[in-house]
């Protein structure tokens, strides 16, 4: 991401408990409720316990003139324990029906929690399909840092952005980065509109003045990286390294300003592969919306979103996120620096390789003249959800990587960053795991000062 800024009613809670706290058909044993929230340190209600999602099949129908969305979410998941009920995250929208394994299920709502009680209990290890039909006007949510996410109406359509929890504004799911899944997304819109999403477009059909676009994401994706962009875009298709499909969608008012920089996507991907290893997905590209639609860029998987024509540094940042943040995802939002520190350091490396300042010069500039909030808290310990996109996470996170590079030398450093991307490809990882990985890859090197002063330490380290 590249930011430019950044109570449950008692009656409803009792109703949810009444509907979900009963035993189910598990051989006479009382089965637990899946649980709301996975206990993320900054977004404790995000995600849900008791199951893992394997696949989302979303069918969306949207009319920009009325801002009305109707949707069907088919969710294929596996129970990780015996369950009498499970939760899905959904903010706003009206739930019209819920079925589990084709049978009608009872459900209740409290805040962002949609609690589903299947007709029969789910056993640990059982794969099941839940189908939720819903409708209404999807919400734009406000992050703790003040930025907007969720479903954002635009001048000629809509834009769906999910970091950190905005995807629950347009489809029900297990909305925490620790649970990745594959996706099929079908979007039906009036015939004069385009609808763009992640992955590859598999079909486009028109009937009765409405067009349905079908997109497929075959590699696992965290729900916050899912996107839908509806508008009168200009689409272009080209190829990147190894024949990789590159699809760009640009709002007409930004077409001229975006042309030259978007033409550099194949070159940047080629540079990134040399430095970070093979590109982790089966397509690439970009979505360029209006400058006021979101106010920040976001690394939506395979197709980052930009608020107007990006500069080269921002394009590099979001494309390198495909390795670090998208393919290697954060285990929790406390691990945000593993996304942003890597993507920010990639900007420094790109400058170094393209006649700009060296990474050392950039590092020194931040150490000597960086903003005051650079030292407000350590990268691995943001003070609250409102600060996970602050300079301490981005620039100081990059400084941690530069200190590692200084300590181990270039050969070992690139072995570390490429190996990290390969070892956790399409998975998730946390800061403690990264520390162990670095120490294993460079035995005999002393990293104690880096971890103590740069990664976890309060205040500005007394030496550069």
């Amino acid at each position: 991401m590249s930011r430019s800024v950044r109570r449950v009613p008692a009656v409803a809670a009792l109703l949810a408990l009444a509907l979900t706290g009963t035993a189910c058909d598990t051989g006479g044993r009382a089965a637990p409720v899946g649980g709301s929230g996975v206990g993320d340190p900054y977004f404790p209600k995000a995600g849900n316990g008791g199951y893992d999602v394997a696949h989302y099949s979303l069918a969306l129908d949207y009319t920009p003139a009325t801002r009305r969305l109707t949707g069907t979410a088919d969710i294929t998941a596996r129970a990780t324990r015996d369950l009498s009920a499970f939760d899905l995250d959904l903010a706003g929208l009206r739930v019209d029906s819920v079925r589990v394994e084709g049978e009608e299920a009872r459900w209740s709502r409290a805040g962002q929690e949609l609690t589903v009680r299947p007709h029969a209990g789910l056993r640990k290890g059982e794969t099941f399909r839940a189908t939720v039909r819903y409708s209404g006007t999807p919400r734009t949510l406000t992050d703790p840092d003040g930025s907007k996410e969720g479903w954002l109406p635009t001048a000629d359509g809509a834009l769906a952005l999910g970091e950190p929890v905005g995807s629950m504004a347009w489809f029900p799911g297990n909305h925490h980065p620790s649970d990745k899944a594959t996706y099929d997304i079908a979007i039906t819109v009036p015939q004069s509109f385009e609808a763009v999403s992640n992955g590859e477009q598999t079909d486009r059909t028109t009937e009765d003045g409405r067009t349905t676009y079908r997109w497929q994401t075959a590699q696992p994706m965290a729900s916050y990286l899912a996107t839908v962009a509806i508008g009168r875009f200009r689409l272009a298709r080209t190829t990147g390294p190894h024949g990789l499909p590159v699809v760009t969608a640009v709002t007409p008012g930004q077409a001229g300003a975006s042309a030259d920089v978007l033409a550099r996507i194949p070159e940047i991907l080629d540079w990134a592969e040399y430095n970070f290893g093979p590109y982790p997905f089966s397509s690439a590209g970009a979505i360029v919306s209006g400058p006021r639609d979101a106010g920040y860029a976001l690394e939506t998987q395979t197709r980052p979103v930009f608020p107007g024509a990006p500069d080269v540094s921002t394009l590099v940042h979001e494309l390198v996120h495909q390795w670090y943040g998208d393919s290697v995802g954060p285990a929790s939002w406390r691990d945000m620096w593993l996304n942003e520190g890597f993507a920010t350091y990639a900007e420094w490396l790109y400058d170094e390789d393209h006649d700009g300042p060296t990474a050392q010069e950039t590092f020194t500039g931040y150490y000597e003249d960086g903003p005051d909030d650079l030292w407000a808290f350590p990268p691995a310990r943001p003070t609250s959800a409102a600060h996970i996109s602050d300079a301490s996470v981005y620039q100081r996170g990059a400084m941690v990587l530069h200190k590692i590079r200084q300590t181990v030398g270039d050969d070992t450093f690139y072995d570390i960053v490429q190996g990290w991307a390969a070892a956790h490809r399409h998975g998730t990882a946390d800061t403690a795991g990264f520390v162990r990985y670095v120490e294993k890859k460079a035995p005999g090197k002393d990293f104690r000062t880096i971890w103590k002063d740069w990664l976890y330490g309060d205040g500005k380290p007394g030496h550069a």
Side-chain angles (χ1 to χ4, degrees):
M1 175 186 283
S2 180
R3 292 283 199 187
S4 61
V5 291
R6 291 280 302 160
R7 289 181 63 95
V8 177
V11 173
L14 289 172
L15 177 60
L17 182 63
L19 287 176
T20 62
T22 58
C24 64
D25 181 15
T26 56
R29 291 175 289 113
V33 175
S36 60
V38 296
D40 187 272
Y42 301 115
F43 299 91
K45 297 295 288 182
N48 302 282
Y51 65 95
D52 288 323
V53 178
H55 184 72
Y56 292 94
S57 180
L58 306 177
L60 311 174
D61 190 301
Y62 186 69
T63 301
T66 62
R67 297 186 178 179
R68 178 174 174 79
L69 175 72
T70 59
T72 299
D74 277 316
I75 303 167
T76 303
R78 180 181 60 85
T80 57
R81 59 185 184 223
D82 291 346
L83 292 173
S84 64
F86 59 91
D87 280 23
L88 299 167
D89 300 313
L90 182 64
L93 298 170
R94 183 184 73 189
V95 174
D96 299 313
S97 68
V98 181
R99 304 182 76 85
V100 178
E101 287 297 286
E103 295 195 45
E104 186 174 351
R106 284 191 284 173
W107 54 272
S108 64
R109 299 191 72 177
Q112 72 183 53
E113 302 301 325
L114 169 61
T115 302
V116 179
R117 184 185 180 210
H119 176 73
L122 301 170
R123 292 184 179 274
K124 180 179 179 179
E126 179 180 352
T127 297
F128 64 94
R129 187 180 74 174
T131 301
V132 182
R133 298 183 185 277
Y134 56 99
S135 59
T137 301
R139 295 179 180 176
T140 298
L141 307 179
T142 301
D143 286 348
D145 69 4
S147 54
K148 303 296 184 182
E149 60 169 321
W151 193 269
L152 286 65
T154 64
D156 65 350
L159 179 63
L161 298 177
E163 187 173 357
V165 294
S167 293
M168 67 180 178
W170 57 282
F171 70 96
N174 197 23
H175 292 304
H176 188 266
S178 60
D179 192 2
K180 293 186 173 185
T182 56
Y183 284 74
D184 284 291
I185 301 179
I187 314 113
T188 301
V189 292
Q191 187 174 347
S192 58
F193 290 82
E194 300 277 351
V196 183
S197 188
N198 313 84
E200 292 79 59
Q201 185 177 334
T202 61
D203 194 18
R204 170 179 173 167
T205 57
T206 300
E207 184 177 353
D208 297 330
R210 298 183 72 80
T211 300
T212 300
Y213 299 83
R214 300 183 187 278
W215 294 83
Q216 183 178 76
T217 299
Q219 292 86 34
M221 177 168 69
S223 66
Y224 81 91
L225 299 170
T227 191
V228 167
I230 297 166
R232 305 183 193 278
F233 295 105
R234 296 183 183 178
L235 267 65
R237 290 175 168 83
T238 186
T239 56
H242 324 296
L244 180 76
V246 176
V247 179
T248 59
V250 182
T251 195
Q254 298 297 313
S258 300
D260 288 346
V261 68
L262 295 183
R264 300 181 68 169
I265 290 176
E267 166 218 316
I268 293 170
L269 291 174
D270 189 61
W271 171 86
E273 281 204 330
Y274 179 80
N275 285 278
F276 308 122
Y279 181 73
F281 302 116
S282 52
S283 66
I287 298 169
V288 179
S289 65
R292 291 177 293 196
D293 291 343
Y296 58 88
L298 185 63
E299 62 271 20
T300 43
Q301 191 160 304
T302 68
R303 201 144 294 116
V305 172
F306 300 93
D311 58 27
V312 172
S313 289
T314 304
L315 183 60
V316 168
H317 184 106
E318 304 305 340
L319 290 177
V320 171
H321 265 313
Q322 305 307 305
W323 282 260
Y324 307 105
D326 292 16
S327 176
V328 183
S332 80
W333 290 110
R334 178 172 285 158
D335 304 301
M336 182 79 153
W337 84 274
L338 287 171
N339 295 17
E340 303 303 345
F342 270 96
T344 300
Y345 196 60
E347 296 179 54
W348 301 6
L349 294 175
Y350 190 86
D351 286 344
E352 183 174 83
D353 289 345
H354 292 82
D355 301 320
T358 66
Q360 179 62 51
E361 289 170 337
T362 304
F363 174 94
T364 300
Y366 276 109
Y367 183 80
E368 294 180 349
D369 301 308
D372 291 341
D373 65 344
L374 186 63
W375 315 109
F377 55 83
R381 289 184 181 139
T383 52
S384 72
H387 297 290
I388 63 171
S389 293
D390 284 7
S392 293
V393 173
Y394 284 63
Q395 283 76 30
R396 190 169 166 186
M399 295 174 89
V400 170
L401 296 175
H402 189 70
K403 294 298 291 185
I404 294 170
R405 182 184 177 192
Q406 285 181 323
T407 300
V408 303
D410 278 8
D411 288 347
T412 300
F413 176 75
Y414 283 102
D415 185 45
I416 287 170
V417 297
Q418 291 181 17
W420 179 252
H424 297 281
R425 183 181 175 95
H426 301 152
T428 61
D430 62 16
T431 300
F434 180 71
V435 167
R436 291 192 298 270
Y437 187 83
V438 171
E439 292 178 344
K440 180 179 179 181
K441 296 292 282 187
K445 297 294 185 180
D446 187 354
F447 296 99
R448 288 175 295 179
T449 298
I450 298 176
W451 310 143
K452 176 179 176 292
D453 293 349
W454 292 90
L455 183 59
Y456 287 111
D458 292 321
K460 182 177 181 178
H463 54 87

